[in-house]
Amino acid sequence: GQNIDQPTEMTATEGAIVQINCTYQTSGFNGLFWYQQHAGEAPTFLSYNVLDGLEEKGRFSSFLSRSKGYSYLLLKELQMKDSASYLCAVASGTYKYIFGTGTRLKVLA
Amino acid sequence: GAGVSQSPRYKVAKRGQDVALRCDPISGHVSLFWYQQALGQGPEFLTYFQNEAQLDKSGLPSDRFFAERPEGSVSTLKIQRTQQEDSAVYLCASSRGTSGGAGYEQYFGPGTRLTVT
């Protein structure tokens, strides 16, 4: 079967660093995406990894290990506006994307 | 700089009614996806279009669901004889990639929240 696991909820303090983990088991792999989704809004793209290693983009970084079926999203210098759901998604085939259930992040002042 | 738009934003239907949900993708985007998102869940793939061709409809839950993109731009998702379990947010996304979007980010619309009573 195809499965993506990520924690349901996380809480962190403004200014801190948080790491959101994602493990996956899919029949194919054409890359892993992270999306941010604020309540009641559309998901917006954060990062894409297809090769092993770390991709850094401002306050956000994403890491991928294909051999371990593992990725994480690292958020630095947390701000209140970072409170949202973070979705891990795998392009498991040419057209099909498998999304995780999302991790709801609460940033506390 | 228009993004992906969807209409209506909210739809209430009585059980048994037919509904049509519209998606206007970003101009020039080849790939178009439909997803169903239940409360507290991630989006679930429904179907994929490359231009006007529907290349994958494996995620459509039943034959009551039908999607089309006749001219390769606007798409419509139609649900016939709606049931309560169809209540969800229906998201449309487009991508400029031609190979099914793999490697290209998807741009999502705001979604249509369907409530079946």
PDB file of all heavy atoms in Angstrom, chain B residues 23-62:
ATOM      1  N   CYS B  23     -13.347  25.085 -12.134  1.00  0.00           N
ATOM      2  CA  CYS B  23     -11.962  25.458 -11.841  1.00  0.00           C
ATOM      3  C   CYS B  23     -11.382  26.211 -13.025  1.00  0.00           C
ATOM      4  O   CYS B  23     -11.431  25.722 -14.169  1.00  0.00           O
ATOM      5  CB  CYS B  23     -11.129  24.220 -11.556  1.00  0.00           C
ATOM      6  SG  CYS B  23      -9.353  24.546 -11.420  1.00  0.00           S
ATOM      7  N   ASP B  24     -10.828  27.397 -12.745  1.00  0.00           N
ATOM      8  CA  ASP B  24     -10.095  28.158 -13.748  1.00  0.00           C
ATOM      9  C   ASP B  24      -8.618  28.111 -13.399  1.00  0.00           C
ATOM     10  O   ASP B  24      -8.190  28.786 -12.447  1.00  0.00           O
ATOM     11  CB  ASP B  24     -10.561  29.614 -13.784  1.00  0.00           C
ATOM     12  CG  ASP B  24     -11.870  29.784 -14.504  1.00  0.00           C
ATOM     13  OD1 ASP B  24     -12.921  29.611 -13.877  1.00  0.00           O
ATOM     14  OD2 ASP B  24     -11.817  30.094 -15.706  1.00  0.00           O
ATOM     15  N   PRO B  25      -7.816  27.341 -14.123  1.00  0.00           N
ATOM     16  CA  PRO B  25      -6.397  27.226 -13.763  1.00  0.00           C
ATOM     17  C   PRO B  25      -5.616  28.455 -14.206  1.00  0.00           C
ATOM     18  O   PRO B  25      -6.145  29.341 -14.897  1.00  0.00           O
ATOM     19  CB  PRO B  25      -5.959  25.995 -14.561  1.00  0.00           C
ATOM     20  CG  PRO B  25      -6.827  26.029 -15.784  1.00  0.00           C
ATOM     21  CD  PRO B  25      -8.164  26.544 -15.308  1.00  0.00           C
ATOM     22  N   ILE B  26      -4.365  28.496 -13.830  1.00  0.00           N
ATOM     23  CA  ILE B  26      -3.481  29.562 -14.285  1.00  0.00           C
ATOM     24  C   ILE B  26      -3.289  29.402 -15.801  1.00  0.00           C
ATOM     25  O   ILE B  26      -3.057  28.283 -16.282  1.00  0.00           O
ATOM     26  CB  ILE B  26      -2.141  29.509 -13.543  1.00  0.00           C
ATOM     27  CG1 ILE B  26      -2.370  29.855 -12.060  1.00  0.00           C
ATOM     28  CG2 ILE B  26      -1.119  30.447 -14.170  1.00  0.00           C
ATOM     29  CD1 ILE B  26      -1.151  29.685 -11.181  1.00  0.00           C
ATOM     30  N   SER B  27      -3.369  30.511 -16.506  1.00  0.00           N
ATOM     31  CA  SER B  27      -3.272  30.474 -17.967  1.00  0.00           C
ATOM     32  C   SER B  27      -1.953  29.829 -18.404  1.00  0.00           C
ATOM     33  O   SER B  27      -0.877  30.170 -17.903  1.00  0.00           O
ATOM     34  CB  SER B  27      -3.357  31.900 -18.508  1.00  0.00           C
ATOM     35  OG  SER B  27      -3.217  31.913 -19.909  1.00  0.00           O
ATOM     36  N   GLY B  28      -2.079  28.890 -19.335  1.00  0.00           N
ATOM     37  CA  GLY B  28      -0.879  28.244 -19.863  1.00  0.00           C
ATOM     38  C   GLY B  28      -0.450  27.001 -19.106  1.00  0.00           C
ATOM     39  O   GLY B  28       0.448  26.281 -19.554  1.00  0.00           O
ATOM     40  N   HIS B  29      -1.064  26.745 -17.961  1.00  0.00           N
ATOM     41  CA  HIS B  29      -0.710  25.539 -17.222  1.00  0.00           C
ATOM     42  C   HIS B  29      -1.302  24.314 -17.896  1.00  0.00           C
ATOM     43  O   HIS B  29      -2.488  24.225 -18.141  1.00  0.00           O
ATOM     44  CB  HIS B  29      -1.190  25.641 -15.773  1.00  0.00           C
ATOM     45  CG  HIS B  29      -0.240  26.369 -14.888  1.00  0.00           C
ATOM     46  ND1 HIS B  29      -0.301  26.315 -13.503  1.00  0.00           N
ATOM     47  CD2 HIS B  29       0.802  27.173 -15.179  1.00  0.00           C
ATOM     48  CE1 HIS B  29       0.678  27.042 -13.000  1.00  0.00           C
ATOM     49  NE2 HIS B  29       1.350  27.574 -13.998  1.00  0.00           N
ATOM     50  N   VAL B  30      -0.432  23.361 -18.154  1.00  0.00           N
ATOM     51  CA  VAL B  30      -0.822  22.172 -18.888  1.00  0.00           C
ATOM     52  C   VAL B  30      -1.561  21.171 -17.988  1.00  0.00           C
ATOM     53  O   VAL B  30      -2.534  20.561 -18.379  1.00  0.00           O
ATOM     54  CB  VAL B  30       0.432  21.514 -19.492  1.00  0.00           C
ATOM     55  CG1 VAL B  30       0.122  20.151 -20.062  1.00  0.00           C
ATOM     56  CG2 VAL B  30       1.054  22.425 -20.537  1.00  0.00           C
ATOM     57  N   SER B  31      -1.050  21.023 -16.775  1.00  0.00           N
ATOM     58  CA  SER B  31      -1.575  19.993 -15.876  1.00  0.00           C
ATOM     59  C   SER B  31      -2.642  20.565 -14.957  1.00  0.00           C
ATOM     60  O   SER B  31      -2.507  21.685 -14.450  1.00  0.00           O
ATOM     61  CB  SER B  31      -0.437  19.417 -15.025  1.00  0.00           C
ATOM     62  OG  SER B  31       0.486  18.728 -15.837  1.00  0.00           O
ATOM     63  N   LEU B  32      -3.683  19.763 -14.736  1.00  0.00           N
ATOM     64  CA  LEU B  32      -4.758  20.163 -13.824  1.00  0.00           C
ATOM     65  C   LEU B  32      -5.179  18.951 -13.012  1.00  0.00           C
ATOM     66  O   LEU B  32      -5.364  17.850 -13.544  1.00  0.00           O
ATOM     67  CB  LEU B  32      -5.951  20.721 -14.611  1.00  0.00           C
ATOM     68  CG  LEU B  32      -7.095  21.310 -13.770  1.00  0.00           C
ATOM     69  CD1 LEU B  32      -7.728  22.504 -14.478  1.00  0.00           C
ATOM     70  CD2 LEU B  32      -8.144  20.292 -13.413  1.00  0.00           C
ATOM     71  N   PHE B  33      -5.277  19.176 -11.710  1.00  0.00           N
ATOM     72  CA  PHE B  33      -5.608  18.107 -10.768  1.00  0.00           C
ATOM     73  C   PHE B  33      -6.865  18.486 -10.005  1.00  0.00           C
ATOM     74  O   PHE B  33      -7.082  19.658  -9.682  1.00  0.00           O
ATOM     75  CB  PHE B  33      -4.492  17.926  -9.732  1.00  0.00           C
ATOM     76  CG  PHE B  33      -3.138  17.614 -10.303  1.00  0.00           C
ATOM     77  CD1 PHE B  33      -2.338  18.613 -10.826  1.00  0.00           C
ATOM     78  CD2 PHE B  33      -2.654  16.321 -10.284  1.00  0.00           C
ATOM     79  CE1 PHE B  33      -1.082  18.329 -11.339  1.00  0.00           C
ATOM     80  CE2 PHE B  33      -1.392  16.027 -10.784  1.00  0.00           C
ATOM     81  CZ  PHE B  33      -0.606  17.037 -11.314  1.00  0.00           C
ATOM     82  N   TRP B  34      -7.648  17.495  -9.624  1.00  0.00           N
ATOM     83  CA  TRP B  34      -8.744  17.658  -8.678  1.00  0.00           C
ATOM     84  C   TRP B  34      -8.440  16.788  -7.457  1.00  0.00           C
ATOM     85  O   TRP B  34      -8.005  15.630  -7.591  1.00  0.00           O
ATOM     86  CB  TRP B  34     -10.084  17.226  -9.265  1.00  0.00           C
ATOM     87  CG  TRP B  34     -10.712  18.213 -10.196  1.00  0.00           C
ATOM     88  CD1 TRP B  34     -10.681  18.216 -11.561  1.00  0.00           C
ATOM     89  CD2 TRP B  34     -11.502  19.348  -9.826  1.00  0.00           C
ATOM     90  NE1 TRP B  34     -11.386  19.277 -12.062  1.00  0.00           N
ATOM     91  CE2 TRP B  34     -11.918  19.995 -11.014  1.00  0.00           C
ATOM     92  CE3 TRP B  34     -11.927  19.888  -8.608  1.00  0.00           C
ATOM     93  CZ2 TRP B  34     -12.714  21.137 -11.028  1.00  0.00           C
ATOM     94  CZ3 TRP B  34     -12.719  21.022  -8.621  1.00  0.00           C
ATOM     95  CH2 TRP B  34     -13.103  21.633  -9.812  1.00  0.00           C
ATOM     96  N   TYR B  35      -8.701  17.369  -6.276  1.00  0.00           N
ATOM     97  CA  TYR B  35      -8.515  16.674  -5.014  1.00  0.00           C
ATOM     98  C   TYR B  35      -9.771  16.835  -4.164  1.00  0.00           C
ATOM     99  O   TYR B  35     -10.496  17.819  -4.276  1.00  0.00           O
ATOM    100  CB  TYR B  35      -7.343  17.252  -4.221  1.00  0.00           C
ATOM    101  CG  TYR B  35      -5.983  17.044  -4.837  1.00  0.00           C
ATOM    102  CD1 TYR B  35      -5.445  17.996  -5.706  1.00  0.00           C
ATOM    103  CD2 TYR B  35      -5.234  15.909  -4.541  1.00  0.00           C
ATOM    104  CE1 TYR B  35      -4.183  17.809  -6.260  1.00  0.00           C
ATOM    105  CE2 TYR B  35      -3.971  15.724  -5.093  1.00  0.00           C
ATOM    106  CZ  TYR B  35      -3.467  16.680  -5.956  1.00  0.00           C
ATOM    107  OH  TYR B  35      -2.223  16.490  -6.511  1.00  0.00           O
ATOM    108  N   GLN B  36      -9.971  15.878  -3.272  1.00  0.00           N
ATOM    109  CA  GLN B  36     -11.023  15.953  -2.257  1.00  0.00           C
ATOM    110  C   GLN B  36     -10.339  16.022  -0.895  1.00  0.00           C
ATOM    111  O   GLN B  36      -9.462  15.211  -0.601  1.00  0.00           O
ATOM    112  CB  GLN B  36     -11.920  14.719  -2.346  1.00  0.00           C
ATOM    113  CG  GLN B  36     -13.074  14.698  -1.367  1.00  0.00           C
ATOM    114  CD  GLN B  36     -13.776  13.346  -1.355  1.00  0.00           C
ATOM    115  OE1 GLN B  36     -13.181  12.321  -1.032  1.00  0.00           O
ATOM    116  NE2 GLN B  36     -15.059  13.328  -1.726  1.00  0.00           N
ATOM    117  N   GLN B  37     -10.716  16.999  -0.091  1.00  0.00           N
ATOM    118  CA  GLN B  37     -10.112  17.132   1.233  1.00  0.00           C
ATOM    119  C   GLN B  37     -11.189  17.121   2.308  1.00  0.00           C
ATOM    120  O   GLN B  37     -11.999  18.046   2.393  1.00  0.00           O
ATOM    121  CB  GLN B  37      -9.264  18.411   1.331  1.00  0.00           C
ATOM    122  CG  GLN B  37      -8.490  18.502   2.640  1.00  0.00           C
ATOM    123  CD  GLN B  37      -7.512  19.667   2.692  1.00  0.00           C
ATOM    124  OE1 GLN B  37      -7.709  20.681   2.039  1.00  0.00           O
ATOM    125  NE2 GLN B  37      -6.445  19.515   3.470  1.00  0.00           N
ATOM    126  N   ALA B  38     -11.170  16.089   3.122  1.00  0.00           N
ATOM    127  CA  ALA B  38     -12.069  16.014   4.266  1.00  0.00           C
ATOM    128  C   ALA B  38     -11.463  16.801   5.420  1.00  0.00           C
ATOM    129  O   ALA B  38     -10.252  17.050   5.458  1.00  0.00           O
ATOM    130  CB  ALA B  38     -12.289  14.557   4.658  1.00  0.00           C
ATOM    131  N   LEU B  39     -12.284  17.174   6.375  1.00  0.00           N
ATOM    132  CA  LEU B  39     -11.843  17.996   7.497  1.00  0.00           C
ATOM    133  C   LEU B  39     -10.716  17.297   8.262  1.00  0.00           C
ATOM    134  O   LEU B  39     -10.830  16.127   8.620  1.00  0.00           O
ATOM    135  CB  LEU B  39     -13.025  18.269   8.431  1.00  0.00           C
ATOM    136  CG  LEU B  39     -12.808  19.303   9.525  1.00  0.00           C
ATOM    137  CD1 LEU B  39     -12.549  20.675   8.907  1.00  0.00           C
ATOM    138  CD2 LEU B  39     -14.010  19.358  10.454  1.00  0.00           C
ATOM    139  N   GLY B  40      -9.619  17.989   8.461  1.00  0.00           N
ATOM    140  CA  GLY B  40      -8.511  17.443   9.232  1.00  0.00           C
ATOM    141  C   GLY B  40      -7.669  16.431   8.484  1.00  0.00           C
ATOM    142  O   GLY B  40      -6.807  15.775   9.085  1.00  0.00           O
ATOM    143  N   GLN B  41      -7.909  16.298   7.190  1.00  0.00           N
ATOM    144  CA  GLN B  41      -7.155  15.336   6.383  1.00  0.00           C
ATOM    145  C   GLN B  41      -6.377  16.060   5.289  1.00  0.00           C
ATOM    146  O   GLN B  41      -6.615  17.234   5.000  1.00  0.00           O
ATOM    147  CB  GLN B  41      -8.107  14.320   5.731  1.00  0.00           C
ATOM    148  CG  GLN B  41      -8.945  13.534   6.718  1.00  0.00           C
ATOM    149  CD  GLN B  41      -8.095  12.644   7.589  1.00  0.00           C
ATOM    150  OE1 GLN B  41      -7.234  11.914   7.112  1.00  0.00           O
ATOM    151  NE2 GLN B  41      -8.323  12.711   8.900  1.00  0.00           N
ATOM    152  N   GLY B  42      -5.465  15.338   4.675  1.00  0.00           N
ATOM    153  CA  GLY B  42      -4.774  15.890   3.531  1.00  0.00           C
ATOM    154  C   GLY B  42      -5.601  15.720   2.274  1.00  0.00           C
ATOM    155  O   GLY B  42      -6.560  14.946   2.256  1.00  0.00           O
ATOM    156  N   PRO B  43      -5.270  16.445   1.209  1.00  0.00           N
ATOM    157  CA  PRO B  43      -5.994  16.282  -0.051  1.00  0.00           C
ATOM    158  C   PRO B  43      -5.833  14.864  -0.587  1.00  0.00           C
ATOM    159  O   PRO B  43      -4.753  14.284  -0.512  1.00  0.00           O
ATOM    160  CB  PRO B  43      -5.321  17.297  -0.970  1.00  0.00           C
ATOM    161  CG  PRO B  43      -4.633  18.276  -0.065  1.00  0.00           C
ATOM    162  CD  PRO B  43      -4.231  17.482   1.134  1.00  0.00           C
ATOM    163  N   GLU B  44      -6.920  14.323  -1.139  1.00  0.00           N
ATOM    164  CA  GLU B  44      -6.871  13.013  -1.782  1.00  0.00           C
ATOM    165  C   GLU B  44      -7.084  13.179  -3.278  1.00  0.00           C
ATOM    166  O   GLU B  44      -8.050  13.822  -3.713  1.00  0.00           O
ATOM    167  CB  GLU B  44      -7.944  12.086  -1.199  1.00  0.00           C
ATOM    168  CG  GLU B  44      -7.597  11.602   0.194  1.00  0.00           C
ATOM    169  CD  GLU B  44      -8.245  10.281   0.529  1.00  0.00           C
ATOM    170  OE1 GLU B  44      -8.660   9.545  -0.397  1.00  0.00           O
ATOM    171  OE2 GLU B  44      -8.354   9.984   1.731  1.00  0.00           O
ATOM    172  N   PHE B  45      -6.178  12.584  -4.045  1.00  0.00           N
ATOM    173  CA  PHE B  45      -6.214  12.701  -5.500  1.00  0.00           C
ATOM    174  C   PHE B  45      -7.501  12.132  -6.073  1.00  0.00           C
ATOM    175  O   PHE B  45      -7.953  11.048  -5.694  1.00  0.00           O
ATOM    176  CB  PHE B  45      -5.015  11.931  -6.070  1.00  0.00           C
ATOM    177  CG  PHE B  45      -4.999  11.789  -7.559  1.00  0.00           C
ATOM    178  CD1 PHE B  45      -4.460  12.782  -8.355  1.00  0.00           C
ATOM    179  CD2 PHE B  45      -5.520  10.654  -8.167  1.00  0.00           C
ATOM    180  CE1 PHE B  45      -4.436  12.640  -9.726  1.00  0.00           C
ATOM    181  CE2 PHE B  45      -5.497  10.511  -9.544  1.00  0.00           C
ATOM    182  CZ  PHE B  45      -4.950  11.509 -10.324  1.00  0.00           C
ATOM    183  N   LEU B  46      -8.111  12.889  -6.991  1.00  0.00           N
ATOM    184  CA  LEU B  46      -9.293  12.407  -7.688  1.00  0.00           C
ATOM    185  C   LEU B  46      -8.979  12.095  -9.154  1.00  0.00           C
ATOM    186  O   LEU B  46      -9.206  10.995  -9.633  1.00  0.00           O
ATOM    187  CB  LEU B  46     -10.422  13.432  -7.630  1.00  0.00           C
ATOM    188  CG  LEU B  46     -11.023  13.716  -6.241  1.00  0.00           C
ATOM    189  CD1 LEU B  46     -12.079  14.807  -6.342  1.00  0.00           C
ATOM    190  CD2 LEU B  46     -11.628  12.452  -5.658  1.00  0.00           C
ATOM    191  N   THR B  47      -8.440  13.121  -9.856  1.00  0.00           N
ATOM    192  CA  THR B  47      -8.231  12.943 -11.283  1.00  0.00           C
ATOM    193  C   THR B  47      -7.215  13.935 -11.802  1.00  0.00           C
ATOM    194  O   THR B  47      -6.942  14.956 -11.158  1.00  0.00           O
ATOM    195  CB  THR B  47      -9.562  13.080 -12.062  1.00  0.00           C
ATOM    196  OG1 THR B  47      -9.376  12.725 -13.440  1.00  0.00           O
ATOM    197  CG2 THR B  47     -10.121  14.499 -11.980  1.00  0.00           C
ATOM    198  N   TYR B  48      -6.636  13.631 -12.969  1.00  0.00           N
ATOM    199  CA  TYR B  48      -5.588  14.459 -13.565  1.00  0.00           C
ATOM    200  C   TYR B  48      -5.839  14.671 -15.058  1.00  0.00           C
ATOM    201  O   TYR B  48      -6.175  13.733 -15.787  1.00  0.00           O
ATOM    202  CB  TYR B  48      -4.229  13.791 -13.366  1.00  0.00           C
ATOM    203  CG  TYR B  48      -3.139  14.393 -14.220  1.00  0.00           C
ATOM    204  CD1 TYR B  48      -2.630  15.648 -13.924  1.00  0.00           C
ATOM    205  CD2 TYR B  48      -2.646  13.729 -15.345  1.00  0.00           C
ATOM    206  CE1 TYR B  48      -1.651  16.234 -14.705  1.00  0.00           C
ATOM    207  CE2 TYR B  48      -1.674  14.298 -16.138  1.00  0.00           C
ATOM    208  CZ  TYR B  48      -1.176  15.544 -15.815  1.00  0.00           C
ATOM    209  OH  TYR B  48      -0.212  16.126 -16.594  1.00  0.00           O
ATOM    210  N   PHE B  49      -5.660  15.901 -15.497  1.00  0.00           N
ATOM    211  CA  PHE B  49      -5.744  16.251 -16.919  1.00  0.00           C
ATOM    212  C   PHE B  49      -4.409  16.808 -17.394  1.00  0.00           C
ATOM    213  O   PHE B  49      -3.769  17.604 -16.706  1.00  0.00           O
ATOM    214  CB  PHE B  49      -6.796  17.344 -17.150  1.00  0.00           C
ATOM    215  CG  PHE B  49      -8.207  16.873 -16.987  1.00  0.00           C
ATOM    216  CD1 PHE B  49      -8.814  16.887 -15.731  1.00  0.00           C
ATOM    217  CD2 PHE B  49      -8.948  16.440 -18.072  1.00  0.00           C
ATOM    218  CE1 PHE B  49     -10.130  16.465 -15.568  1.00  0.00           C
ATOM    219  CE2 PHE B  49     -10.266  16.022 -17.920  1.00  0.00           C
ATOM    220  CZ  PHE B  49     -10.846  16.034 -16.665  1.00  0.00           C
ATOM    221  N   GLN B  50      -4.028  16.388 -18.585  1.00  0.00           N
ATOM    222  CA  GLN B  50      -2.921  17.035 -19.284  1.00  0.00           C
ATOM    223  C   GLN B  50      -3.553  17.670 -20.517  1.00  0.00           C
ATOM    224  O   GLN B  50      -3.994  16.957 -21.433  1.00  0.00           O
ATOM    225  CB  GLN B  50      -1.841  16.041 -19.665  1.00  0.00           C
ATOM    226  CG  GLN B  50      -0.605  16.694 -20.268  1.00  0.00           C
ATOM    227  CD  GLN B  50       0.493  15.670 -20.562  1.00  0.00           C
ATOM    228  OE1 GLN B  50       0.771  15.388 -21.720  1.00  0.00           O
ATOM    229  NE2 GLN B  50       1.060  15.110 -19.528  1.00  0.00           N
ATOM    230  N   ASN B  51      -3.602  18.982 -20.526  1.00  0.00           N
ATOM    231  CA  ASN B  51      -4.414  19.705 -21.522  1.00  0.00           C
ATOM    232  C   ASN B  51      -5.854  19.181 -21.436  1.00  0.00           C
ATOM    233  O   ASN B  51      -6.407  19.143 -20.355  1.00  0.00           O
ATOM    234  CB  ASN B  51      -3.807  19.563 -22.905  1.00  0.00           C
ATOM    235  CG  ASN B  51      -2.444  20.212 -22.996  1.00  0.00           C
ATOM    236  OD1 ASN B  51      -2.285  21.386 -22.621  1.00  0.00           O
ATOM    237  ND2 ASN B  51      -1.451  19.479 -23.452  1.00  0.00           N
ATOM    238  N   GLU B  52      -6.432  18.750 -22.542  1.00  0.00           N
ATOM    239  CA  GLU B  52      -7.834  18.304 -22.495  1.00  0.00           C
ATOM    240  C   GLU B  52      -7.960  16.811 -22.201  1.00  0.00           C
ATOM    241  O   GLU B  52      -9.074  16.305 -22.004  1.00  0.00           O
ATOM    242  CB  GLU B  52      -8.551  18.645 -23.804  1.00  0.00           C
ATOM    243  CG  GLU B  52      -8.084  17.847 -25.006  1.00  0.00           C
ATOM    244  CD  GLU B  52      -6.806  18.386 -25.626  1.00  0.00           C
ATOM    245  OE1 GLU B  52      -6.250  19.359 -25.065  1.00  0.00           O
ATOM    246  OE2 GLU B  52      -6.384  17.836 -26.666  1.00  0.00           O
ATOM    247  N   ALA B  53      -6.856  16.120 -22.163  1.00  0.00           N
ATOM    248  CA  ALA B  53      -6.890  14.670 -21.976  1.00  0.00           C
ATOM    249  C   ALA B  53      -6.913  14.301 -20.486  1.00  0.00           C
ATOM    250  O   ALA B  53      -6.049  14.722 -19.717  1.00  0.00           O
ATOM    251  CB  ALA B  53      -5.682  14.038 -22.648  1.00  0.00           C
ATOM    252  N   GLN B  54      -7.889  13.490 -20.123  1.00  0.00           N
ATOM    253  CA  GLN B  54      -7.957  12.987 -18.755  1.00  0.00           C
ATOM    254  C   GLN B  54      -7.112  11.721 -18.692  1.00  0.00           C
ATOM    255  O   GLN B  54      -7.533  10.656 -19.139  1.00  0.00           O
ATOM    256  CB  GLN B  54      -9.412  12.689 -18.365  1.00  0.00           C
ATOM    257  CG  GLN B  54      -9.594  12.353 -16.894  1.00  0.00           C
ATOM    258  CD  GLN B  54     -11.065  12.169 -16.508  1.00  0.00           C
ATOM    259  OE1 GLN B  54     -11.911  11.903 -17.354  1.00  0.00           O
ATOM    260  NE2 GLN B  54     -11.374  12.327 -15.227  1.00  0.00           N
ATOM    261  N   LEU B  55      -5.911  11.850 -18.116  1.00  0.00           N
ATOM    262  CA  LEU B  55      -4.966  10.748 -18.144  1.00  0.00           C
ATOM    263  C   LEU B  55      -5.089   9.815 -16.946  1.00  0.00           C
ATOM    264  O   LEU B  55      -4.595   8.689 -16.990  1.00  0.00           O
ATOM    265  CB  LEU B  55      -3.539  11.275 -18.248  1.00  0.00           C
ATOM    266  CG  LEU B  55      -3.213  12.074 -19.519  1.00  0.00           C
ATOM    267  CD1 LEU B  55      -1.739  12.431 -19.565  1.00  0.00           C
ATOM    268  CD2 LEU B  55      -3.635  11.331 -20.769  1.00  0.00           C
ATOM    269  N   ASP B  56      -5.708  10.270 -15.895  1.00  0.00           N
ATOM    270  CA  ASP B  56      -5.838   9.431 -14.702  1.00  0.00           C
ATOM    271  C   ASP B  56      -7.107   9.826 -13.973  1.00  0.00           C
ATOM    272  O   ASP B  56      -7.256  10.980 -13.609  1.00  0.00           O
ATOM    273  CB  ASP B  56      -4.612   9.602 -13.798  1.00  0.00           C
ATOM    274  CG  ASP B  56      -4.558   8.575 -12.673  1.00  0.00           C
ATOM    275  OD1 ASP B  56      -5.613   8.091 -12.220  1.00  0.00           O
ATOM    276  OD2 ASP B  56      -3.438   8.266 -12.218  1.00  0.00           O
ATOM    277  N   LYS B  57      -8.006   8.891 -13.816  1.00  0.00           N
ATOM    278  CA  LYS B  57      -9.220   9.150 -13.040  1.00  0.00           C
ATOM    279  C   LYS B  57      -9.409   8.095 -11.972  1.00  0.00           C
ATOM    280  O   LYS B  57     -10.523   7.837 -11.510  1.00  0.00           O
ATOM    281  CB  LYS B  57     -10.450   9.251 -13.937  1.00  0.00           C
ATOM    282  CG  LYS B  57     -10.696   8.048 -14.827  1.00  0.00           C
ATOM    283  CD  LYS B  57     -11.937   8.298 -15.673  1.00  0.00           C
ATOM    284  CE  LYS B  57     -12.226   7.106 -16.578  1.00  0.00           C
ATOM    285  NZ  LYS B  57     -13.445   7.311 -17.404  1.00  0.00           N
ATOM    286  N   SER B  58      -8.298   7.514 -11.572  1.00  0.00           N
ATOM    287  CA  SER B  58      -8.354   6.387 -10.651  1.00  0.00           C
ATOM    288  C   SER B  58      -8.843   6.780  -9.259  1.00  0.00           C
ATOM    289  O   SER B  58      -9.269   5.926  -8.490  1.00  0.00           O
ATOM    290  CB  SER B  58      -6.971   5.733 -10.538  1.00  0.00           C
ATOM    291  OG  SER B  58      -6.026   6.659 -10.049  1.00  0.00           O
ATOM    292  N   GLY B  59      -8.771   8.061  -8.915  1.00  0.00           N
ATOM    293  CA  GLY B  59      -9.190   8.482  -7.588  1.00  0.00           C
ATOM    294  C   GLY B  59     -10.659   8.847  -7.470  1.00  0.00           C
ATOM    295  O   GLY B  59     -11.141   9.082  -6.356  1.00  0.00           O
ATOM    296  N   LEU B  60     -11.372   8.894  -8.559  1.00  0.00           N
ATOM    297  CA  LEU B  60     -12.802   9.219  -8.491  1.00  0.00           C
ATOM    298  C   LEU B  60     -13.514   8.125  -7.705  1.00  0.00           C
ATOM    299  O   LEU B  60     -13.412   6.949  -8.046  1.00  0.00           O
ATOM    300  CB  LEU B  60     -13.387   9.359  -9.890  1.00  0.00           C
ATOM    301  CG  LEU B  60     -12.830  10.497 -10.739  1.00  0.00           C
ATOM    302  CD1 LEU B  60     -13.418  10.487 -12.135  1.00  0.00           C
ATOM    303  CD2 LEU B  60     -13.091  11.845 -10.062  1.00  0.00           C
ATOM    304  N   PRO B  61     -14.267   8.502  -6.648  1.00  0.00           N
ATOM    305  CA  PRO B  61     -14.799   7.495  -5.721  1.00  0.00           C
ATOM    306  C   PRO B  61     -15.885   6.607  -6.311  1.00  0.00           C
ATOM    307  O   PRO B  61     -16.049   5.483  -5.846  1.00  0.00           O
ATOM    308  CB  PRO B  61     -15.348   8.310  -4.549  1.00  0.00           C
ATOM    309  CG  PRO B  61     -15.134   9.734  -4.849  1.00  0.00           C
ATOM    310  CD  PRO B  61     -14.517   9.873  -6.182  1.00  0.00           C
ATOM    311  N   SER B  62     -16.624   7.102  -7.273  1.00  0.00           N
ATOM    312  CA  SER B  62     -17.683   6.291  -7.858  1.00  0.00           C
ATOM    313  C   SER B  62     -18.034   6.834  -9.226  1.00  0.00           C
ATOM    314  O   SER B  62     -17.525   7.887  -9.635  1.00  0.00           O
ATOM    315  CB  SER B  62     -18.927   6.316  -6.950  1.00  0.00           C
ATOM    316  OG  SER B  62     -19.612   7.556  -7.084  1.00  0.00           O
TER     317      SER B  62
END
